[in-house]
Amino acid sequence: MNDVKETFRSEARNNPDKFFPTAVLRDYGYHRKQCSETGRYFWTTDDDRDICGDVEVIGEYEFLNDDFNTPEWSYTDVWEAFASFFESRGYTNVDRYPVTARWRDDADFVAASIYDFQPHVVNGDAEPPANPLVIPQYCLRFNDIENVGVTMSHTTGFTMIGQHAFDDEDTWDQDKYFRDLLDWFLTDVGISRDDLILHEDVWSGGGNLGPCIEFFAGGLELANQVYMLYEINGGERQEIPIKVLDMGLGHERVAWFASNEPTLYHATFPETLRRAQNSVDHAVDQDVLDAFIPYAARLNADEVDDIDDAWRTVADLLDADPSALRGELKPFTDLVSVVEHTRTLLIALSDGALPSNVRGGHNLRVILRRCFNIIRA
């Protein structure tokens, strides 16, 4: 699978016009560049930009320090604005599915909005509930538990706003689907063309493969629009009869980006977080937290080789002792973890899941025990 993906990535890089909506990008004034730091190909309207928009390259969340003239939406405003805009473009709004993926035998929980339509809709055995459609799908992922409350952008439960279409060769319109999403970011969210950076990449999962465009602004990845065109059979790439649009947008991330809140958690559950802060004796030094937040992305445990070294780097930037910095931030990290994990558990349990010692239930048990351990400490 990885060999097929890398071969396809090389092919896509060498022939972008075949796989990416390059005509639309050029029509909007974007031009293709190669990042001087990572070698990735990206599209920008800024002639002076020579690095891509990933926070790994930038080193901080730049949108926290700059005025992006966003509309200052609340968390619920994001979906309402998205749904209204896409309804005007011919999409149907669909209610979310349960997070317990009972229709699948390869997953316990929904981890992306496309899970709702795999395998039966994607392989043509069933009709989609609408076509094209948008959906605010709550998802569970448990690979980032240690990042919750540290990077200021990671959660175990989140809403992936999906933009999906299931077409044959005659109805597939990649340019339209891309333009719809691009227009929403430029008009409704109000990101300028110079600030919105588009990455070329390829995506694979569930036996499928396709090119994708990732949307970045101010160091934050906001969405990834995948064009699912192939399946992998016997180590070979084959075209699939149904072309699938698989766009996932981070509801919480856009809410953070389009608000004046200091973290994703403040933007997602502000009242619950405020009540939790008022109920505990320990509070983080606000000045320390404010100084730390822009550099928090450097502490993604999944991306760094040595997390202790990453903490030393951040501490040096703040002229602080690494151990002391971690200690000062721990009350906030613990508080956020309890609130965030509780939301995940609340939705999972209401959708029929239970903590247990097996399969997905074990993940729920892990975060439940983590909450109890934090509270008892």
Side-chain angles (χ1 to χ4, degrees):
M1 180 68 170
N2 287 335
D3 290 343
V4 176
K5 181 178 180 180
E6 289 309 311
T7 298
F8 178 57
R9 175 176 279 119
S10 177
E11 183 180 344
R13 284 178 174 176
N14 293 330
N15 193 0
D17 290 343
K18 179 179 179 181
F19 298 104
F20 301 103
T22 56
V24 179
L25 284 161
R26 294 189 180 99
D27 185 51
Y28 279 64
Y30 282 85
H31 46 274
R32 190 176 190 240
K33 287 192 170 186
Q34 187 171 18
C35 180
S36 60
E37 296 289 331
T38 66
R40 299 170 186 160
Y41 285 96
F42 68 99
W43 292 76
T44 179
T45 60
D46 183 355
D47 292 334
D48 296 327
R49 175 175 287 278
D50 60 0
I51 59 173
C52 59
D54 199 319
V55 72
E56 296 174 32
V57 177
I58 298 173
E60 62 179 295
Y61 296 125
E62 289 184 333
F63 73 93
L64 295 172
N65 303 318
D66 294 328
D67 182 8
F68 278 81
N69 295 316
T70 54
E72 297 187 21
W73 284 332
S74 69
Y75 181 78
T76 55
D77 289 338
V78 174
W79 166 247
E80 290 173 358
F82 185 92
S84 176
F85 179 90
F86 277 81
E87 188 174 18
S88 73
R89 295 288 179 102
Y91 296 75
T92 300
N93 306 335
V94 175
D95 291 339
R96 78 167 181 93
Y97 286 35
V99 296
T100 47
R102 298 186 182 93
W103 58 93
R104 298 185 56 157
D105 58 12
D106 61 341
D108 292 308
F109 298 123
V110 172
S113 56
I114 194 62
Y115 273 44
D116 298 346
F117 313 106
Q118 291 174 322
H120 306 299
V121 174
V122 170
N123 65 20
D125 290 341
E127 292 293 322
N131 194 21
L133 63 85
V134 291
I135 183 170
Q137 179 58 48
Y138 198 77
C139 302
L140 302 184
R141 293 183 186 178
F142 298 97
N143 57 314
D144 289 314
I145 293 175
E146 296 302 320
N147 284 327
V148 175
V150 177
T151 65
M152 305 302 159
S153 65
H154 282 89
T155 59
T156 57
F158 62 97
T159 298
M160 177 181 288
I161 295 178
Q163 174 201 12
H164 298 294
F166 311 90
D167 297 333
D168 58 26
E169 192 71 40
D170 294 333
T171 57
W172 175 251
D173 194 345
Q174 182 186 37
D175 285 354
K176 170 187 163 44
Y177 299 140
F178 174 71
R179 188 182 294 108
D180 290 340
L181 186 60
L182 181 62
D183 285 346
W184 186 73
F185 276 115
L186 295 175
T187 59
D188 276 26
V189 185
I191 305 175
S192 73
R193 297 189 187 192
D194 281 355
D195 289 326
L196 189 62
I197 304 163
L198 294 312
H199 290 197
E200 289 180 10
D201 205 351
V202 300
W203 175 92
S204 65
N208 294 113
L209 175 72
C212 65
I213 295 287
E214 300 165 337
F215 290 67
F216 284 80
L220 195 63
E221 183 179 359
L222 300 173
N224 184 16
Q225 190 174 65
V226 179
Y227 315 109
M228 195 186 295
L229 307 178
Y230 305 99
E231 62 181 357
I232 309 301
N233 281 327
E236 296 184 355
R237 185 178 96 228
Q238 300 175 353
E239 288 195 26
I240 53 179
I242 298 179
K243 313 296 184 184
V244 179
L245 172 67
D246 175 20
M247 191 289 296
L249 178 145
H251 188 162
E252 287 81 2
R253 291 192 174 196
V254 174
W256 185 21
F257 185 88
S259 71
N260 286 322
E261 299 293 351
T263 72
L264 176 145
Y265 314 111
H266 289 87
T268 302
F269 30 75
E271 181 61 20
T272 304
L273 191 58
R274 184 188 67 79
R275 286 174 178 264
Q277 287 174 318
N278 291 339
S279 67
V280 297
D281 296 330
H282 303 288
V284 67
D285 185 309
Q286 192 62 46
D287 291 337
V288 173
L289 183 62
D290 290 343
F292 167 78
I293 289 170
Y295 304 108
R298 295 171 179 250
L299 298 170
N300 185 342
D302 295 328
E303 300 293 339
V304 300
D305 295 327
D306 187 332
I307 191 64
D308 291 328
D309 185 58
W311 273 102
R312 285 190 290 270
T313 298
V314 173
D316 286 344
L317 290 169
L318 301 177
D319 194 24
D321 175 78
S323 296
L325 178 63
R326 296 176 85 160
E328 289 181 275
L329 292 169
K330 191 174 187 300
F332 180 79
T333 299
D334 286 349
L335 186 73
V336 164
S337 295
V338 171
V339 173
E340 193 281 327
H341 293 350
T342 300
R343 184 176 77 143
T344 295
L345 288 163
L346 177 64
I347 295 176
L349 268 61
S350 69
D351 281 355
L354 289 173
S356 70
N357 293 326
V358 297
R359 299 186 54 165
H362 175 70
N363 298 115
L364 300 180
R365 185 169 180 262
V366 166
I367 63 172
L368 179 60
R369 291 186 64 179
R370 190 165 188 253
C371 288
F372 286 150
N373 290 337
I374 290 172
I375 292 168
R376 291 167 180 160

